[in-house]
Amino acid sequence: MKRAGERLTELVTSANILVLASHQNGILREFCNRAVVLERGVLVFEGGVDDALAYYNELIALSRESGRDARPDSPLGDILQEL
């Protein structure tokens, strides 16, 4: 784990742009300054890391409460309601 962390730090510091996909909040907060949330491959949020994590957590909570996969105000909400 230590070597992997060192390698990731090396990649981040040497890259002009690095795309990192993760569900690990700590890693995202440590290495990222911008974040996106994708829903079924569609961009539904773009912004700061903390805001993106809050949006993602709300998305998950709403989908669990409703039994649906999409957040009601997401671009896919209307499509999924029709299905």
Side-chain angles (χ1 to χ4, degrees), residues 8-82:
L8 185 54
T9 300
E10 180 183 316
L11 283 171
V12 170
T13 56
S14 66
N16 290 329
I17 296 175
L18 179 70
V19 176
L20 174 65
S22 177
H23 288 272
Q24 297 294 320
N25 294 356
I27 289 173
L28 296 172
R29 284 188 175 107
E30 182 177 351
F31 294 106
C32 301
N33 54 21
R34 303 290 296 165
V36 297
V37 177
L38 301 175
E39 182 179 336
R40 294 186 177 190
V42 175
L43 178 70
V44 294
F45 183 88
E46 185 271 326
V49 175
D50 287 330
D51 291 337
L53 291 172
Y55 186 98
Y56 176 77
N57 288 329
E58 184 180 340
L59 179 76
I60 295 301
L62 286 171
S63 72
R64 286 183 182 148
E65 288 173 12
S66 69
R68 291 183 21 189
D69 289 337
R71 190 179 148 138
D73 62 340
S74 80
L76 298 178
D78 293 335
I79 296 169
L80 291 175
Q81 284 179 347
E82 293 174 12

